[in-house]
Amino acid sequence: MSRLPRLRSSSPDRPHLPPTTHTTNMAGSSAAPAPFGVTTRTATNSLKRKATTQENIGAEQQPPRKLPAIAEADTNQPLRPSKTAPNANTAGNVGAAKLGKGPPPLTKPRAPALSTSTSTTGVRRTTRATSAPPKTAPVRPPARPTSRTTSRPGQSARSDDRFDSIQQQIAKIEAARAADAARLDAELAQERAKRSDLQASHEALSRELTNAKTQHLAQRQELFIASDELNNLRQRHEREISEMQADLRRKDRELREINEDLRICQADLERERETVKSLKATIAQQATAQLSLTAQLGALQAEKAAVQAEFDRTCGTKADLALQLERARSRIADLEREAREGESVRRKLHNMVQELKGNIRVFVRVRPVLRSDILPAMLNLSGGSAGAIMDGTGSPDPEEEARLREEAMAQIAFPDKMDHKEIVLKSSSESATGQERKDEWQFSFDRVFEPHSTQAEVFEEISQLAQSCTDGYNVCVFAYGQTGSGKSFTMEGGPSDATAGMIPRAVEQVFRVSDELKSKGWQYKMEGQFLEIYNETINDLLGKGEFDKKKHEIKHDPKTGRTTVTDVNVVPLSSATQVRTLLALAQGRRTVAATLMNERSSRSHSVFTLRIRGENALTGESCEGSLNLVDLAGSERLEKSGAAGDRERLKETQNINKSLSALGDVIAALGEKGEGKGDKHIPYRNSKLTYLLQNSLSGNSKTLMFLNLSPLATHLHESLCSLRFATKVNNTTIGTARKQTKHSS
């Protein structure tokens, strides 16, 4: 709405009133038009902005809002502040800026309140009050004079005059307002007419603009479509050009290849022509050879007929051969069954032979004279060093060495050249009267080995006992003899295969036999342990810690005849090579020392135990056996071994001799018991050695004693003692060994 002009009093005495906004009651009109300023600016802006978007054009096409009719207000109400916009220009600018959103809503003006006053003369005057500005109190008429004024007539007259003058001013103001209202109504009517014209022209322009934009959009759409089609045509044209160029390049390449092929074909043609010429010459030569080939063909056809006849005869015998094969397979099955039965019979007969030979068998082996035995005499003759003589670089004449060996050797004879079961010792000495006295001792054992016997020959005799171990029997082989007689060499042997001892050879035999019996349904599991008895104390040679850290106890099972030692390492064995490794480990841990009689004397008894468990899946039979290989420490005399001056060697010698003496007592008690002298007590517990070998000596095992003898004349007395003890052992009768077998139910 436009702001109304401010009314001022024409009289200089008239007080200044605040500016008011004149509104006219338009009773009877159907709508109140929008303010002129807003309409004019909106129309002008609409004409100037031709590039307005479709959305703003649609908003401008909306009809303007109509103002509600202004009702006649109560004349008795006081004047209220106007709610119209304080700034019409600002409202117009906002309306022009928000052209697309329609004209702003119009406020409803209120009718001014009419004040009624009565002068002193009783004339009632009616005036229209002007609207006050916002937040301004309405103009109140002057208050009536109080009773106090009645007492002063002069002052009251002045007040009435002043009131009359104020009433006159109000009347003039009302008249001016009425004139202004009439003029504003006329202007408002003109503005409404202009507004209607402008709205009509605006609507027409809006429609034209809409149509123009619609056409423009359609043309742009068509232009876009045409541009897309043109781009598609260009792309298709470019693709066609690319394809044609690719075809052209391909055809050029094919043309070059065809030209190259043509050149190659021409060269091949030339070669073929040359080949044809050579072939024509060859055909001429082959025509002559054809005649000879025809003759050969006839001969081959005749040979073919003969071969065909032979083939027919072979086919005729094929059925006979198939029948014979079936019979052979049946025969093989029967033979395999008979072989298994024969294996059982062989085991029984083999063990019967071993039992007939005696429960405790005795083998005697005499070692050869060693270079170390004649070392003092050789040093006297050659004058060289001991090291040079021992390695062979400083040895004397071979004949002289042979003579020294013969002089150092005792008079030992082997009269039985057929069975090798006898040994004879001879000795000559002078009596007190000067006469020569000759003594001769003859002994007979199960087998006697001469000094030149090899390790293989010795093991051949005890290999049958190793066979008994796989059959389920307990087998014990122990070496006995004085110190330096070759017991350790016989049992453990040397580093080479030719010098291998009884222990590695027996283990190899057991593994070989177990592999052979696999074809007959036997499967074996093996485990081993290695102990030593040193000063009546059991040490584990396969252990990892120091000796004497654990207390080992010997336990016998009377039901199974099995002997076990507590807290020892039992190693599962899978090959003979593993046993060699264990033997090397045990030899490094075994107690040895140098004496006058042997520079590497064993100071303890060693016991290697091999346990075997076998099962036959075909017959349901199972067996369990053990092989005990014992290397006893050598008996010695204190004055000859030189151990009397060393307390440790002295204690070792005493314990060794004590255990060997306990072994002799056990053998003697067994002999007396076998002669029928009653229930003789067997003192197995007198020594750890005899208690460990209790099952091997009491009849639950097949036992073999190896007696090792020294060939030196200086050791003749000890050799005689050993032979007498061996004879006592060989004559001892113990129980029959029992086979440890089980049959599955």
Side-chain angles (χ1 to χ4, degrees), residues 424-569:
V424 177
L425 273 68
K426 297 179 181 180
S427 175
S428 61
S429 61
E430 292 184 0
S431 62
T433 59
Q435 296 180 354
E436 184 180 2
R437 186 179 63 182
K438 294 183 178 181
D439 296 326
E440 183 176 330
W441 300 273
Q442 185 174 0
F443 301 92
S444 179
F445 300 100
D446 294 283
R447 186 70 163 84
V448 176
F449 296 96
E450 299 180 15
H452 57 78
S453 299
T454 62
Q455 296 277 69
E457 294 174 353
V458 174
F459 178 73
E460 185 178 358
E461 293 296 326
I462 70 170
S463 60
Q464 297 177 357
L465 289 176
Q467 178 73 32
S468 298
C469 179
T470 58
D471 294 341
Y473 288 88
N474 295 330
V475 178
C476 178
V477 178
F478 63 92
Y480 179 86
Q482 70 182 57
T483 181
S485 59
K487 300 183 300 299
S488 298
F489 179 79
T490 300
M491 298 304 294
E492 299 178 4
S496 63
D497 294 337
T499 59
M502 301 303 104
I503 294 177
R505 290 178 184 270
V507 173
E508 290 178 0
Q509 165 107 5
V510 169
F511 276 104
R512 183 168 59 254
V513 171
S514 63
D515 291 338
E516 292 174 356
L517 293 178
K518 285 182 179 179
S519 60
K520 299 178 182 179
W522 285 94
Q523 296 291 333
Y524 290 94
K525 294 182 180 180
M526 306 178 192
E527 56 187 14
Q529 66 182 23
F530 212 144
L531 309 175
E532 77 165 358
I533 301 176
Y534 175 72
N535 290 341
E536 293 300 311
T537 302
I538 297 178
N539 295 327
D540 185 7
L541 295 179
L542 300 181
K544 297 181 179 179
E546 298 180 359
F547 293 151
D548 301 331
K549 295 297 183 181
K550 295 181 180 179
K551 183 178 181 181
H552 305 286
E553 296 181 359
I554 302 172
K555 295 184 179 180
H556 300 288
D557 189 351
K559 295 182 180 180
T560 61
R562 183 177 179 181
T563 301
T564 58
V565 181
T566 61
D567 294 333
V568 296
N569 288 336

Side-chain angles (χ1 to χ4, degrees), residues 73-79 112-120 122-130 139-144 163 166-167 170-171 174:
D74 188 5
T75 57
N76 295 326
Q77 294 294 332
L79 294 177
L114 298 177
S115 61
T116 304
S117 61
T118 305
S119 62
T120 56
V123 181
R124 187 174 180 268
R125 303 178 66 90
T126 303
T127 60
R128 185 184 298 269
T130 59
V139 178
R140 297 176 179 270
R144 293 183 179 182
F163 180 75
I166 289 172
Q167 290 291 338
I170 290 172
E174 291 294 335

Side-chain angles (χ1 to χ4, degrees), residues 564-585:
T564 58
V565 181
T566 61
D567 294 333
V568 296
N569 288 336
V570 180
V571 181
L573 303 178
S574 58
S575 64
T577 306
Q578 183 182 5
V579 177
R580 286 181 176 271
T581 304
L582 295 178
L583 290 178
L585 176 63

Side-chain angles (χ1 to χ4, degrees), residues 483 488 492 530-541 546-548 585-595 598-606 631-634 648-649 651-653 656:
T483 181
S488 298
E492 299 178 4
F530 212 144
L531 309 175
E532 77 165 358
I533 301 176
Y534 175 72
N535 290 341
E536 293 300 311
T537 302
I538 297 178
N539 295 327
D540 185 7
L541 295 179
E546 298 180 359
F547 293 151
D548 301 331
L585 176 63
Q587 288 178 357
R589 292 170 61 87
R590 189 176 177 186
T591 305
V592 295
T595 63
N598 188 1
E599 62 180 6
R600 185 176 173 82
S601 176
S602 300
R603 314 309 294 171
S604 63
H605 310 296
S606 67
D631 180 16
L632 299 177
E648 185 176 359
R649 300 286 87 81
K651 182 180 179 181
E652 292 172 352
T653 303
I656 291 172

Side-chain angles (χ1 to χ4, degrees), residues 39 115 125 168 174 275 277 288 366 388 424 474 520 587 622 627 676 701:
T39 304
S115 61
R125 303 178 66 90
Q168 291 175 1
E174 291 294 335
T275 305
K277 290 180 182 180
T288 305
V366 181
V424 177
N474 295 330
K520 299 178 182 179
Q587 288 178 357
S622 63
L627 176 62
S701 175

